[in-house]
Amino acid sequence: MTDWTGNKNSVYKTIGARNHTEGIRELNDYYATDPRAIDKLLTVTEPHVKIWEPACGGGHLSERLTELGYYVYSSDKVDRGYKRHTRTRDFLKAVDSPFNGNFDIITNPPYKYAKEFVLKALELLPHGCRCYMFLKLTFLEGRARYNEIFKDTPPKFVYVFSERIQCAKNGDFKKYKNGAVAYAWFIWQKGWTGTTKLGWI
């Protein structure tokens, strides 16, 4: 029997810690999401018809939402050539929203700024509206996230994928086909406080 020990970062790959994986991280943390993530989300919730996707990248989530009849405002800090890219803007510096009235935010944020994306979304959303964040399950951990988010503004729902959803560096799904990281949809509702409901999709 082979005594497998792996290399020095193998344990981090197993738990999905991207900062310990081999290779160079994409500069702006652009890892596109399989559009199936939207289909799974819509089995358990119904967002507002107006949606802001503030980290649209190549438009993988925006395009699927548009196909399903949602009106999507797609923005990103970097223009990656998405045909429906509405505006190049840094979400974390936004001082207003693109809509009048109710809307929701749906995105896979750059993970290194995920906490900041959640806080900014809750700042910009109208009362009662929701932000849907596609995040690694490990986002549930951490003292800073607990103190700054979960303690006073917990997500209303966390829906864990029962099968792995693929994310691909630079949107290259042909090159990146592994699915070693566990993800979930984290759903916050502006103004809601209570006990988080855990479910599976």
Side-chain angles (χ1 to χ4, degrees):
M1 179 180 293
T2 301
D3 181 14
W4 184 86
T5 57
N7 62 24
K8 64 182 180 180
N9 68 11
S10 57
V11 64
Y12 298 109
K13 287 186 176 182
T14 301
I15 65 173
R18 287 175 171 167
N19 57 321
H20 292 287
T21 57
E22 293 177 349
I24 300 173
R25 292 287 293 167
E26 201 282 329
L27 179 62
N28 292 290
D29 221 24
Y30 171 42
Y31 289 80
T33 315
D34 187 331
R36 290 188 305 122
I38 292 296
D39 298 329
K40 292 284 189 178
L41 176 65
L42 297 183
T43 65
V44 292
T45 189
E46 184 175 349
H48 283 103
V49 68
K50 294 181 180 179
I51 293 171
W52 184 2
E53 215 296 32
C56 69
H60 297 82
L61 299 185
S62 292
E63 193 67 15
R64 184 59 181 146
L65 287 163
T66 301
E67 291 172 354
L68 293 171
Y70 291 90
Y71 180 80
V72 185
Y73 179 93
S74 300
S75 64
D76 203 313
K77 184 177 180 179
V78 178
D79 186 346
R80 300 186 185 278
Y82 174 47
K83 63 183 178 180
R84 301 184 202 272
H85 182 114
T86 310
R87 183 177 175 187
T88 300
R89 64 187 300 182
D90 186 340
F91 179 67
L92 297 181
K93 296 180 180 178
V95 295
D96 57 8
S97 68
F99 298 113
N100 292 319
N102 291 334
F103 69 96
D104 289 332
I105 291 173
I106 298 179
T107 194
N108 174 2
Y111 193 73
K112 61 185 177 181
Y113 298 121
K115 180 186 70 176
E116 289 80 4
F117 261 68
V118 172
L119 293 172
K120 176 57 73 170
L122 291 174
E123 173 190 328
L124 295 173
L125 281 170
H127 185 82
C129 292
R130 296 178 174 182
C131 71
Y132 301 78
M133 297 286 175
F134 180 89
L135 297 166
K136 293 188 292 185
L137 274 180
T138 51
F139 189 77
L140 288 168
E141 303 171 338
R143 181 176 298 176
R145 284 192 285 268
Y146 171 75
N147 288 330
E148 295 181 42
I149 302 176
F150 299 133
K151 182 179 178 180
D152 297 318
T153 54
K156 189 171 186 178
F157 303 101
V158 175
Y159 287 110
V160 182
F161 289 97
S162 58
E163 59 183 86
R164 293 295 166 87
I165 293 292
Q166 172 64 14
C167 287
K169 181 179 178 180
N170 292 314
D172 189 353
F173 284 96
K174 293 181 179 180
K175 182 177 180 181
Y176 296 93
K177 296 183 178 180
N178 64 313
V181 180
Y183 292 99
W185 279 111
F186 290 65
I187 305 173
W188 282 267
Q189 183 169 324
K190 178 75 170 282
W192 180 88
T193 58
T195 301
T196 301
K197 178 182 177 181
L198 175 66
W200 287 263
I201 52 177

